[in-house]
């Protein structure tokens, strides 16, 4: 058991419960509905629920909240399991489904009817809405509210047997149509809905509502703290009503605690909206590297450690707010700075010919894999007469403070020599620079005793005849606006048309020949990159995870200076 000081209000509640001996062992759950892929907001909930269990020596269940057959699918169940595992959490043998409890829930509903606490209502969905009243007006009782127990039992059974049309009747709790809380005005517990369920098939044509199924599932599993997002705060009295009024043979009384959901800038965070982006083809799929889904972040190259670190840093609170996506980027940058080997890759190649370097000579130069981590070792990088540098590392007519290559100027080639630009060769028709002619100074080899001269700029490069071809995909925010839904706008109006840029003529150093999907690298001066699964034997494909420019550090500095 943890004796640490509580680091948030949830731990505070748990500590108090433990001090009062309300619960012996802490038991949480992560309860996704399998109607889409998980997103980074779910990661917050996963880290919180599994994290609390771990911290208090308790348990956390994985429970699929599968009470709506029309939107759910095994594809999503499998994807969710993969994502939770990838984040580094283990539910052991505690994989549960709300649908496992359908028989029990039905039995409990029958008991509620017998106790006079539930009734079958024939009002249409529209009428139910009308009768419910508003925040300022009390609701009206349904004319069917005072049916006899016998009639209710008979109708409910016939609902189950499929005698009635979808939506023609519901089972409602008999609570209080005048309650100040709309959720307590005889909430619907069961609805008729035909559709094949991914686990129970066609066995049922009535399905329990979330507000009924969730507390029962929690109680049956012995959950002590049922942690959910703030929009369920007003449902808490109903949650407690269900726990108190259904006849369970368990002693545990789960407690619902709400926290603020994660909102991230420049993206949307709801499975429904993310599905829209997929189905309407705005992205290539749920795992498009621009998506805020766990599978998208994984494909992009995010590490599970960086996502867990992010969830740690944002913490949990009681009021909604928006987190800058730059913080997420900052977390992966910090993680990869430690772990990613450095390599050289030229994204927009410009050929450089070193005129005084022998034509058939090749030198294998020693290059460190991570300057901050000597234990990560070194590799050999081939150097030869023809190399590529970045097109924007050369300017014919450079502005002040341009310390890269320009006519008659010198730069250092990383791990190699100082070169000097002697001549520029242009396409006769277009005037475009097609090649730069240089000379090198043999005395300036990196690491050699004669290397004493210093120059201002150092460029990355690759040897032309040794380089591998690669495609590199650069990403920008999926939405141009920080909050794409501000002022009730249609979020799709703010899709960023430039969120994906594909560079197909990139050249990377030959050590990357053995790179496999999922491997991550720092391309010197260009950012962190991950090998995409689209990679084939003769075509390397990389995703840029993040550039090296840390906008979060800037934001923080600005805040500190205020
Ligand atoms: P969505 O609107 O994206 O479908 P949801 O809440 O309906 O979200 P569920 O599958 O029901 O999705 O969520 C599983 C768990 O994850 C719930 O406990 C929910 O509160 C939590 N969760 C969902 N979105 C977020 C978020 N943005 N931040 C934190 N927790 C979240
Ligand atoms: Mg949902």
């Amino acid at each position: 058991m943890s004796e640490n000081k509580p680091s948030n209000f949830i731990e505070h509640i748990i500590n108090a419960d433990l001090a009062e001996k309300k619960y012996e062992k802490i038991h949480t759950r992560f309860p996704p509905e399998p109607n889409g892929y998980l997103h980074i907001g779910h990661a917050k909930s996963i880290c919180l629920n599994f994290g609390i269990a771990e911290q208090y020596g308790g348990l956390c269940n994985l429970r699929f909240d599968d009470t709506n057959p029309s939107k759910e699918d095994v594809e999503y169940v499998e994807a969710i399991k993969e994502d939770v595992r990838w984040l580094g959490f283990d539910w052991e043998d505690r994989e549960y489904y709300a649908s496992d409890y359908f028989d029990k829930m039905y039995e409990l509903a029958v008991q509620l009817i017998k106790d006079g606490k539930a009734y079958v209502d024939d009002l249409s969905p529209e009428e139910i809405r009308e009768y419910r009243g508003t925040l300022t007006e009390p609701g009206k009782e349904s004319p069917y509210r005072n049916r006899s127990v016998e009639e209710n039992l008979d109708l409910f059974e016939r609902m189950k047997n499929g005698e009635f049309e979808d939506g023609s009747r519901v089972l409602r709790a008999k609570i209080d149509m005048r309650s100040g809380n709309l959720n307590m005005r005889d909430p619907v517990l069961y609805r008729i809905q035909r559709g094949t369920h991914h686990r129970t098939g066609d066995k049922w044509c009535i399905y329990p509502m979330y507000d009924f199924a969730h507390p029962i599932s929690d109680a049956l599993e012995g959950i002590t703290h049922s942690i959910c997002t703030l929009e369920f705060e007003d449902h808490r009295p109903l949650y407690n009503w269900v726990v108190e009024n259904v006849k369970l043979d368990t002693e545990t009384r789960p407690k619902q605690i709400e926290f603020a959901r994660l909102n991230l800038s420049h993206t949307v965070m709801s499975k429904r909206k993310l599905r829209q982006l997929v189905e309407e083809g705005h992205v290539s799929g749920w795992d498009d590297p621009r998506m805020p889904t766990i599978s998208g972040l994984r494909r992009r190259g995010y590490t599970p450690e960086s996502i867990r670190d992010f969830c740690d840093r944002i913490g949990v609170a009681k009021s909604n707010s928006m987190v800058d996506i730059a913080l997420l980027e900052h977390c992966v940058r910090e993680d990869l700075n430690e772990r990613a080997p450095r390599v050289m890759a030229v994204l927009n190649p410009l050929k450089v010919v070193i005129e005084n370097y022998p034509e058939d000579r090749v030198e294998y130069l020693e290059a460190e894999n991570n300057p901050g981590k000597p234990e990560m070792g070194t590799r050999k990088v081939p150097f030869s007469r023809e190399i590529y540098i970045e097109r924007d590392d050369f300017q014919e007519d450079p502005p002040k403070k341009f310390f890269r290559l320009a006519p008659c100027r010198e730069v250092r080639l990383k791990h190699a020599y100082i070169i000097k630009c002697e001549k520029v060769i242009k396409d006769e028709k277009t005037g475009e620079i097609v090649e730069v002619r240089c000379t090198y100074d043999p005395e300036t080899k990196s690491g050699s005793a004669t290397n004493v001269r210093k120059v201002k700029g150092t460029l990355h490069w690759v040897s032309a005849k040794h380089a591998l071809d690669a495609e590199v995909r650069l990403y920008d925010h999926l939405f141009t606006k920080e909050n794409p839904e501000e002022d009730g706008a249609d979020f799709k109006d703010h899709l960023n048309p430039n969120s994906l840029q594909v560079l197909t003529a990139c050249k990377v150093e030959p050590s990357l020949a053995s790179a496999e999907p999922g491997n991550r690298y720092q391309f010197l001066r260009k950012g962190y990159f991950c090998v995409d699964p689209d990679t084939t034997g003769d075509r390397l494909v990389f995703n840029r995870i993040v550039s090296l420019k840390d906008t979060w550090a800037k934001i923080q500095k600005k805040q500190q200076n205020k």
Side-chain angles (χ1 to χ4, degrees):
M1 227 170 278
S2 159
E3 286 168 22
N4 293 344
K5 268 211 219 129
S7 63
N8 60 53
F9 75 97
I10 296 178
E11 290 178 28
H12 199 85
I13 295 174
I14 293 177
N15 288 351
D17 286 345
L18 287 172
E20 285 177 39
K21 304 217 172 347
K22 267 197 193 151
Y23 305 103
E24 264 169 37
K25 192 171 181 153
I26 299 307
H27 205 146
T28 56
R29 84 288 169 267
F30 171 62
E33 182 181 358
N35 63 347
Y37 284 61
L38 298 183
H39 50 62
I40 179 94
H42 293 111
K44 175 175 179 178
S45 174
I46 293 167
C47 291
L48 183 58
N49 279 293
F50 280 92
I52 281 179
E54 203 172 285
Q55 188 183 332
Y56 287 91
L59 297 170
C60 180
N61 295 356
L62 174 62
R63 181 195 321 132
F64 291 97
D65 169 29
D66 54 348
T67 53
N68 184 357
S70 69
K71 294 194 215 145
E72 297 160 6
D73 197 273
V74 278
E75 176 198 346
Y76 302 132
V77 170
E78 292 309 317
I80 288 170
K81 290 202 278 186
E82 185 185 353
D83 289 349
V84 176
R85 229 179 267 129
W86 179 76
L87 280 173
F89 298 103
D90 184 4
W91 57 93
E92 298 172 315
D93 57 352
R94 296 178 312 283
E95 176 177 326
Y96 299 119
Y97 295 81
S99 57
D100 293 343
Y101 314 130
F102 282 173
D103 284 301
K104 185 73 192 171
M105 288 173 192
Y106 180 78
E107 202 184 289
L108 293 170
V110 167
Q111 185 62 47
L112 277 182
I113 296 174
K114 288 182 182 164
D115 294 344
K117 292 174 177 171
Y119 62 96
V120 173
D121 198 350
D122 301 1
L123 291 183
S124 68
E126 297 75 47
E127 287 168 322
I128 291 182
R129 211 170 304 129
E130 256 171 56
Y131 277 60
R132 183 170 293 132
T134 62
L135 282 172
T136 50
E137 275 171 58
K140 243 179 10 190
E141 294 188 355
S142 163
Y144 304 98
R145 194 175 199 258
N146 294 312
R147 276 175 160 154
S148 69
V149 168
E150 289 65 38
E151 191 184 1
N152 278 319
L153 285 174
D154 174 61
L155 285 171
F156 189 47
E157 184 169 1
R158 287 166 62 196
M159 275 171 66
K160 180 188 77 156
N161 292 342
E163 290 187 28
F164 308 122
E165 297 271 290
D166 283 16
S168 61
R169 285 188 165 84
V170 292
L171 183 74
R172 297 178 73 173
K174 200 187 246 188
I175 307 181
D176 179 7
M177 289 307 291
R178 308 182 64 84
S179 169
N181 183 332
L182 291 174
N183 293 299
M184 298 299 271
R185 294 185 186 170
D186 291 9
V188 173
L189 304 181
Y190 266 91
R191 62 194 185 287
I192 307 173
Q193 190 185 333
R194 283 169 181 79
T196 305
H197 187 280
H198 64 104
R199 282 178 71 84
T200 57
D202 296 320
K203 174 172 174 187
W204 297 92
C205 64
I206 55 170
Y207 288 93
M209 304 299 288
Y210 173 89
D211 283 329
F212 187 61
H214 205 76
I216 293 176
S217 306
D218 282 345
L220 290 173
E221 290 173 18
I223 300 304
T224 56
H225 297 85
S226 180
I227 302 169
C228 63
T229 37
L230 276 182
E231 65 273 22
F232 290 101
E233 198 165 19
D234 289 344
H235 295 239
R236 195 185 333 136
L238 177 53
Y239 182 98
N240 291 337
W241 185 92
V242 173
V243 171
E244 293 306 324
N245 286 282
V246 297
K247 295 231 163 72
L248 287 161
D249 15 306
T250 139
E251 285 302 302
T252 340
R253 288 286 173 266
K255 179 185 254 185
Q256 178 179 304
I257 304 174
E258 310 86 16
F259 71 100
R261 62 194 300 121
L262 167 65
N263 298 304
L264 201 57
S265 69
H266 299 285
T267 192
V268 290
M269 196 86 83
S270 133
K271 282 178 273 178
R272 187 177 56 79
K273 288 169 200 151
L274 296 173
R275 169 161 339 106
Q276 230 174 309
L277 295 176
V278 174
E279 284 173 357
E280 293 174 16
H282 301 293
V283 293
S284 64
W286 286 97
D287 70 344
D288 187 299
R290 291 167 291 180
M291 290 279 270
T293 50
I294 311 280
S295 50
L297 293 167
R298 175 167 60 233
R299 182 165 183 174
R300 174 88 164 246
Y302 273 80
T303 59
E305 290 82 0
S306 64
I307 295 176
R308 293 206 305 262
D309 178 32
F310 170 74
C311 292
D312 244 22
R313 293 192 199 209
I314 56 175
V316 285
K318 261 291 195 196
S319 62
N320 282 314
S321 64
M322 165 100 68
V323 175
D324 198 309
I325 199 165
L327 176 60
L328 181 62
E329 294 169 350
H330 174 79
C331 291
V332 75
R333 214 176 263 124
E334 286 221 321
D335 187 25
L336 292 178
N337 181 41
E338 298 283 312
R339 300 156 48 152
R342 275 57 171 165
V343 293
M344 294 198 284
V346 175
L347 306 190
N348 286 304
L350 171 64
K351 185 172 265 181
V352 173
V353 177
I354 302 164
E355 290 178 323
N356 60 340
Y357 197 88
E359 278 204 32
D360 45 7
R361 184 155 161 212
V362 180
E363 273 179 279
Y364 287 87
L365 305 170
E366 177 115 335
E368 73 242 322
N369 290 331
N370 188 335
K373 299 244 154 175
E375 66 274 22
M376 283 175 71
T378 59
R379 67 189 185 288
K380 297 284 185 187
V381 182
F383 182 77
S384 64
R385 180 181 159 92
E386 295 192 0
I387 62 168
Y388 292 111
I389 63 167
E390 294 289 348
R391 198 157 268 282
D392 62 8
D393 278 340
F394 177 82
Q395 281 204 32
E396 201 178 10
D397 189 12
K400 255 195 194 150
K401 294 205 172 162
F402 183 84
F403 298 123
R404 297 175 258 171
L405 198 61
C408 301
R409 295 239 195 123
E410 286 189 322
V411 289
R412 169 167 295 281
L413 296 175
K414 183 76 180 170
H415 307 307
Y417 298 95
I418 291 177
I419 56 169
K420 182 178 179 192
C421 173
E422 309 285 355
K423 199 159 91 193
V424 180
I425 296 175
K426 295 183 184 171
D427 183 303
E428 275 176 18
K429 285 195 200 111
T430 63
E432 190 200 9
I433 298 169
V434 291
E435 194 177 296
V436 176
R437 294 260 160 177
C438 292
T439 51
Y440 87 115
D441 177 352
E443 299 294 299
T444 58
K445 184 171 173 177
S446 288
S448 75
T450 54
N451 176 33
V452 288
R453 273 208 299 132
K454 290 223 159 30
V455 287
K456 273 205 166 137
T458 300
L459 308 185
H460 62 278
W461 53 275
V462 292
S463 163
K465 71 174 164 215
H466 300 93
L468 308 173
D469 292 320
E471 173 177 320
V472 170
R473 300 171 183 169
L474 304 178
Y475 301 101
D476 195 356
H477 299 146
L478 194 46
F479 294 92
T480 48
K481 267 185 95 166
E482 197 169 295
N483 176 4
E485 295 173 286
E486 204 169 63
D487 312 323
D490 180 349
F491 64 100
K492 286 177 294 175
D493 290 347
H494 300 295
L495 273 163
N496 178 1
N498 304 315
S499 59
L500 169 64
Q501 191 191 346
V502 181
L503 306 174
T504 52
C506 311
K507 298 282 183 184
V508 303
E509 66 168 67
S511 74
L512 288 168
S514 56
E516 284 178 24
N519 290 172
R520 306 175 182 92
Y521 302 90
Q522 185 193 100
F523 289 179
L524 286 184
R525 301 172 64 222
K526 288 288 153 191
Y528 292 100
F529 293 78
C530 182
V531 183
D532 190 81
D534 281 349
T535 292
T536 55
D538 52 1
R539 183 161 152 269
L540 278 163
V541 180
F542 292 92
N543 296 312
R544 177 149 77 186
I545 310 166
V546 278
S547 68
L548 294 175
K549 203 173 74 199
D550 191 344
T551 47
W552 180 251
K554 248 201 231 155
I555 292 169
Q556 264 185 325
K557 215 168 174 188
K558 239 196 245 159
Q559 284 169 346
Q560 278 161 4
N561 290 343
K562 259 185 202 162

